[in-house]
Amino acid sequence: MAVTVVVGSQWGDEGKGKVVDLLASQFDVVARYQGGANAGHTIKWGDTTQVLHLLPSGVFASGVHCLIGNGVVIDPKALVSEIQKVQELGYDLEGRLWISRNAHCILPYHQALESVRSADRIGTTKRGIGPAYTDKIARTGIRIGELIDRDAFFKRLQVEVAQKNLVLRGAYGERELDAEEIFSEYTGYAEQLQEYVTDTTHFLHEALDQGKQILAEGAQGCLLDIDFGTYPYVTSSSPTAGGVCTGLGVSPTAILRIIGITKAYCTRVGHGPFPTELTDHTGAHLQKTGGEFGATTGRPRRCGWLDLVALRYSCRLNGFSELALTKLDVLSGLETVKVCVEYEQGGAADSRFTNDAQALEAVTPRYEVMQGWKEDICGCRKFEALPDAAKELVHRIQSFTGIPVTMISTGPRRSQTIQVDC
Ligand code: GDP
Ligand code: IMO
Ligand code: MG
């Protein structure tokens, strides 16, 4: 039995969608284990570009089962529209999409609460993620299993909307929400989702017993982890490999491979410390060349040099068995490329990452300056074909982290990938 995990090693948007789509056909099941429609996973083939927010990035691989686990928070409206979009493209999901009955719902009051409470302070995606996880932990959430049970949903919704209105109107002077209105809209979504709802943990246990291969798809990145990220500038779930066990119900011993996805530079969307951020023309160059605009919100992504101190922290948190290095092509044409190998705090060097947001804000990165390369590498299909300076960067990432780079992505398309023999 075997689970392979794909985890973002930075602040999200590392290219998880591309890698999962590429690997999907080697697996029987692709499963999302946390997050919600805050994710934007881009998949490109031919002239087609698709961005998935809730559906696993295995939907375009024929015959592969796609599963949304209990750890995910599901906006039923967003999911129904994404299912429709994928089906219109000709990909049938009947009998191969499975939604956990224990996953929590994101309902209109979650977005309403987020917009008054935390959206601007954190720079969230405004998808209701934080308030939905708050309800889950407070044991006041409405789960998918209740959404599809009309009577249970009606009763729970009345209570929850009344409670949320007290806060929305009382504390923030906002407009009250109407439970009946929400009920009539969301029972429509429930009807469309019903056929996919099941006990996904049981489904996975049976699949594992039958020797099937499972690919767990992380959303966000581990520096946005609720515990290990730069709190409070984090998301409300556990994107780290540890989140796979609680978000799907598989045991740690079922996990065989953990692939850390890392960009050849760093990006961050929203607020929070970012030691290697570049606010100069190089940052603007990375943003433009890398097309660094949010796949969910369209916001420009902050860009900076690769932070090896942060990457090593991610490697330790997740126990990566390998790294997939993405967007190496974006660095082509730069005279020199920098990688951060230490932080400086109060005149002293520190080789450890700190997730204390205030402390991280105060560090100054110390860089190793590496030779850049001029060549366009988008067409490279073999490691040997890369310019020496690009190979040197890959070797430095490996030597610093101690983790082998087994895949190098040199463009958004499936074919633009180098498998590295190690
Ligand atoms: P995810 O959230 O981790 O799935 O990443 P996003 O889809 O939000 O952002 C990654 C962006 O980079 C998308 O537009 C991808 O199409 C694109 N991309 C992925 N890998 C590469 C690559 O190796 N080179 C280039 N130039 N673009 C890439
Ligand atoms: P993928 O899966 C990049 C960021 C938001 C914000 C913080 C909290 O595409 O890599 P939230 O809405 O989750 O409460 O926002 O997390 N964020 C992401 N940044 N990629 C993502 O997902 C993200 N999902 C959330 O910008 O700073
Ligand atoms: Mg993304």
Side-chain angles (χ1 to χ4, degrees):
M1 59 184 207
V3 177
T4 296
V5 187
V6 163
V7 182
S9 71
Q10 297 159 325
W11 283 287
D13 303 328
E14 299 88 350
K16 299 175 292 292
K18 171 184 166 163
V19 173
V20 171
D21 168 69
L22 190 68
L23 296 175
S25 56
Q26 299 166 27
F27 289 82
D28 300 292
V29 184
V30 178
R32 275 279 305 270
Y33 58 91
Q34 48 68 239
N38 49 350
H41 295 180
T42 314
I43 297 165
K44 264 192 183 185
W45 69 93
D47 293 331
T48 309
T49 301
Q50 289 301 320
V51 179
L52 297 170
H53 301 285
L54 275 164
L55 288 173
S57 301
V59 285
F60 303 117
S62 72
V64 173
H65 287 266
C66 288
L67 185 148
I68 303 179
N70 57 280
V72 176
V73 282
I74 299 175
D75 177 340
K77 184 178 183 169
L79 182 54
V80 164
S81 106
E82 202 164 304
I83 289 171
Q84 268 167 6
K85 188 181 78 174
V86 166
Q87 285 185 327
E88 276 162 23
L89 286 169
Y91 296 88
D92 197 5
L93 295 174
E94 215 181 295
R96 70 180 193 104
L97 172 65
W98 308 104
I99 303 169
S100 169
R101 61 175 61 253
N102 289 350
H104 281 248
C105 296
I106 299 191
L107 293 160
Y109 48 79
H110 292 124
Q111 278 111 335
L113 284 169
E114 181 172 25
S115 61
V116 290
R117 270 184 189 157
S118 59
D120 294 338
R121 186 166 53 89
I122 311 284
T124 72
T125 59
K126 301 189 181 168
R127 295 299 184 272
I129 305 296
Y133 279 117
T134 303
D135 268 350
K136 172 176 177 171
I137 301 301
R139 291 156 295 176
T140 50
I142 296 179
R143 304 202 284 187
I144 292 289
E146 282 168 308
L147 176 80
I148 61 170
D149 175 340
R150 273 182 77 90
D151 294 340
F153 182 45
F154 187 72
K155 281 190 202 132
R156 291 295 324 283
L157 197 63
Q158 297 279 343
V159 174
E160 285 312 311
V161 171
Q163 297 267 343
K164 301 307 193 268
N165 277 339
L166 287 177
V167 180
L168 283 168
R169 192 197 55 227
Y172 298 102
E174 291 290 306
R175 181 180 72 84
E176 287 199 352
L177 297 173
D178 186 324
E180 311 267 326
E181 250 176 48
I182 301 176
F183 180 74
S184 68
E185 183 181 350
Y186 279 70
T187 44
Y189 303 137
E191 276 163 28
Q192 294 179 71
L193 295 178
Q194 194 156 14
E195 66 172 297
Y196 307 111
V197 177
T198 193
D199 180 336
T200 50
T201 301
H202 186 64
F203 180 94
L204 287 172
H205 291 170
E206 287 199 331
L208 288 168
D209 283 351
Q210 289 162 15
K212 302 244 163 93
Q213 299 292 322
I214 318 289
L215 182 60
E217 174 181 5
Q220 291 77 57
C222 61
L223 303 179
L224 288 171
D225 185 279
I226 183 73
D227 287 287
F228 304 108
T230 52
Y231 191 91
Y233 306 105
V234 291
T235 192
S236 299
S237 67
S238 303
T240 38
V244 173
C245 301
T246 54
L248 292 177
V250 297
S251 84
T253 50
I255 298 175
L256 285 192
R257 285 172 76 190
I258 306 174
I259 308 172
I261 316 296
T262 185
K263 255 186 230 193
Y265 51 97
C266 282
T267 62
R268 179 164 199 167
V269 198
H271 307 317
F274 181 178
T276 61
E277 182 171 14
L278 293 166
T279 50
D280 59 3
H281 64 278
T282 309
H285 170 81
L286 291 175
Q287 189 183 77
K288 184 157 179 268
T289 315
E292 296 296 354
F293 294 88
T296 297
T297 59
R299 289 178 291 174
R301 296 172 181 155
R302 300 154 64 191
C303 297
W305 293 120
L306 179 61
D307 186 339
L308 289 178
V309 178
L311 181 58
R312 186 166 52 195
Y313 171 70
S314 291
C315 292
R316 288 171 175 165
L317 279 177
N318 291 284
F320 293 142
S321 48
E322 57 210 274
L323 290 171
L325 181 66
T326 60
K327 303 192 95 158
L328 189 61
D329 54 301
V330 176
L331 299 182
S332 292
L334 292 171
E335 204 65 43
T336 53
V337 171
K338 293 185 186 176
V339 291
C340 169
V341 290
E342 262 178 349
Y343 295 151
E344 191 180 307
Q345 276 171 310
D350 198 338
S351 59
R352 289 165 310 170
F353 183 80
T354 172
N355 61 18
D356 177 322
Q358 227 182 330
L360 192 62
E361 200 71 71
V363 305
T364 306
R366 283 189 180 175
Y367 291 111
E368 257 173 36
V369 181
M370 305 187 68
Q371 193 60 49
W373 61 90
K374 292 266 177 296
E375 298 88 330
D376 177 356
I377 59 169
C378 288
C380 291
R381 298 291 175 269
K382 292 210 174 313
F383 185 70
E384 294 69 38
L386 288 174
D388 286 345
K391 286 185 198 149
E392 225 11 75
L393 176 62
V394 176
H395 287 139
R396 187 64 187 118
I397 294 168
Q398 294 190 138
S399 67
F400 193 92
T401 59
I403 311 294
V405 173
T406 57
M407 195 189 283
I408 298 171
S409 174
T410 56
R413 292 188 169 72
R414 290 168 181 160
S415 59
Q416 293 171 309
T417 312
I418 299 172
Q419 304 290 344
V420 187
D421 294 327
C422 43

